Amino acid sequence: MLERVIAGTPAAVFDTARVAEWNAQPRELREAGRSALHFAINTRERRAVFVCTHPDRAHFSRRHLTLARRFSMLATQALQNLDREAKVAELEQRLEGLRGRLAEQRRADQLASQRLSGDQLMLPTPSPSTDTRICSRVSTFRTQSWELLSV
């Protein structure tokens, strides 16, 4: 019976004592519900069976089955909407994280680019006059170093 219910067919049990699934339940539960109405609410991620009980036998009618079927469809749609909203929220959170990482990467790239252009501006441009000055300084340094060593 429960397999049928999970598959989407509501079921009214007029006497729970005559149903094997009910006989397997604890005594307190069997005594509390002499009749039962079963219906499913299924989504891709979740499957649930709702059970309404009544202490009198044969309490649930066709009208109750029709109401259970309608409620099942509405509840299934509501759960599917909740699942979709949760998935959208999760994706939005991941997207926000990726946007943050992208912004950080862009800032890092921009800083690296600025450092490169700054380094390029600070590098001396070789010219004949700077080469001559550097050579004369090296020559002066060598001469002074030899003089210090000879003393």
Side-chain angles (χ1 to χ4, degrees):
M1 182 220 25
L2 286 178
E3 289 176 11
R4 254 189 6 219
V5 172
I6 289 172
T9 305
V13 174
F14 297 109
D15 186 358
T16 56
R18 295 180 183 213
V19 177
E21 288 96 341
W22 274 97
N23 288 327
Q25 300 304 314
R27 191 178 114 211
E28 297 84 27
L29 185 61
R30 288 191 322 255
E31 289 175 356
R34 295 295 305 201
S35 61
L37 178 66
H38 305 81
F39 59 94
I41 297 177
N42 297 325
T43 65
R44 286 184 187 164
E45 286 112 20
R46 298 181 238 183
R47 294 167 43 152
V49 173
F50 280 74
V51 180
C52 303
T53 62
H54 196 274
D56 297 335
R57 288 193 337 218
H59 175 77
F60 297 105
S61 66
R62 289 181 195 255
R63 186 176 139 269
H64 291 109
L65 278 172
T66 301
L67 290 173
R69 192 174 288 113
R70 287 180 184 167
F71 179 79
S72 175
M73 287 188 288
L74 291 172
T76 296
Q77 289 174 353
L79 284 177
Q80 287 172 342
N81 287 340
L82 286 173
D83 287 344
R84 273 193 292 274
E85 288 173 8
K87 186 69 172 174
V88 166
E90 176 191 335
L91 291 172
E92 285 175 344
Q93 187 176 13
R94 286 178 55 198
L95 179 61
E96 194 59 37
L98 290 172
R99 283 182 177 154
R101 288 177 44 200
L102 180 62
E104 288 174 18
Q105 186 61 47
R106 284 183 177 160
R107 281 192 294 274
D109 290 348
Q110 188 178 21
L111 285 172
S113 176
Q114 287 172 351
R115 276 192 227 120
L116 281 177
S117 33
D119 289 348
Q120 290 171 350
L121 292 174
M122 293 170 49
L123 289 174
T125 307
S127 68
S129 61
T130 55
D131 287 344
T132 309
R133 278 187 272 148
I134 291 172
C135 290
S136 69
R137 286 186 184 161
V138 169
S139 169
T140 306
F141 176 74
R142 282 186 184 158
T143 307
Q144 291 172 351
S145 298
W146 279 110
E147 289 172 1
L148 289 172
L149 288 173
S150 346
V151 174

